[in-house]
Amino acid sequence: MHKGKFGTAINCMDGRAQMPVNDWLKQKYLLDYVDTITEPGPDKMLSQGIPAQVESIKSRVLISVNAHGSETILIAAHYDCAGNPVSKEEHVKQVKECIKILHSWNLPVKTIIGAWINENWAVEIVQ
Ligand SMILES: [Zn+2]
């Protein structure tokens, strides 16, 4: 049975962040659905969190990859993040660190993307 094409977004819990990322991913990678893993400031949590926090994110990514066959993972940071109130430069640094971590998990995926959601709630590719 065809379930549809899934992608995975590791995104902020901030309600302003999800629609831009999900719409962008669907359009760019022709996805039907985006599994969304939300945390307050996920770029900080994945790059600097305690092992239990990182494992929690990883376990959810694995469900998306293994059960839904996602081949596209995006980690997002955004403008005006209350969960991780640092400069854009710092967010970008953390997103790049997250990309390294995601690659180190050796997931069977095609694409790992880092994104910055800017003050207009538009998606910019970090890497
Ligand atoms: Zn946020």
Side-chain angles (χ1 to χ4, degrees):
M1 195 183 99
H2 181 66
K3 286 191 301 194
K5 195 173 171 192
F6 284 79
T8 314
I10 305 168
N11 203 347
C12 192
M13 60 173 278
D14 191 313
R16 299 170 293 181
Q18 281 134 42
M19 212 165 64
V21 164
N22 290 9
D23 286 349
W24 185 87
L25 267 175
K26 279 183 177 175
Q27 249 177 21
K28 179 116 180 158
Y29 293 94
L30 305 174
L31 305 175
D32 299 304
Y33 309 105
V34 178
D35 291 338
T36 304
I37 296 159
T38 64
E39 299 287 356
D43 51 339
K44 184 178 183 185
M45 198 170 285
L46 184 54
S47 66
Q48 296 173 23
I50 59 169
Q53 290 172 322
V54 175
E55 276 306 311
S56 164
I57 294 172
K58 187 177 179 180
S59 70
R60 285 173 279 163
V61 169
L62 284 172
I63 291 170
S64 182
V65 169
N66 293 331
H68 290 161
S70 170
E71 295 180 324
T72 308
I73 299 176
L74 180 146
I75 167 81
H78 70 97
Y79 168 77
D80 194 33
C81 185
N84 185 18
V86 297
S87 66
K88 178 183 176 182
E89 288 66 33
E90 191 58 34
H91 276 294
V92 167
K93 235 167 79 180
Q94 290 175 4
V95 166
K96 287 181 177 171
E97 193 54 42
C98 290
I99 292 169
K100 280 188 206 159
I101 291 164
L102 289 167
H103 276 292
S104 78
W105 294 349
N106 289 312
L107 301 163
V109 299
K110 286 184 185 152
T111 311
I112 295 174
I113 318 150
W116 168 250
I117 309 164
N118 66 26
E119 63 276 18
N120 300 314
W121 304 97
V123 174
E124 296 175 13
I125 297 174
V126 166
Q127 189 177 307

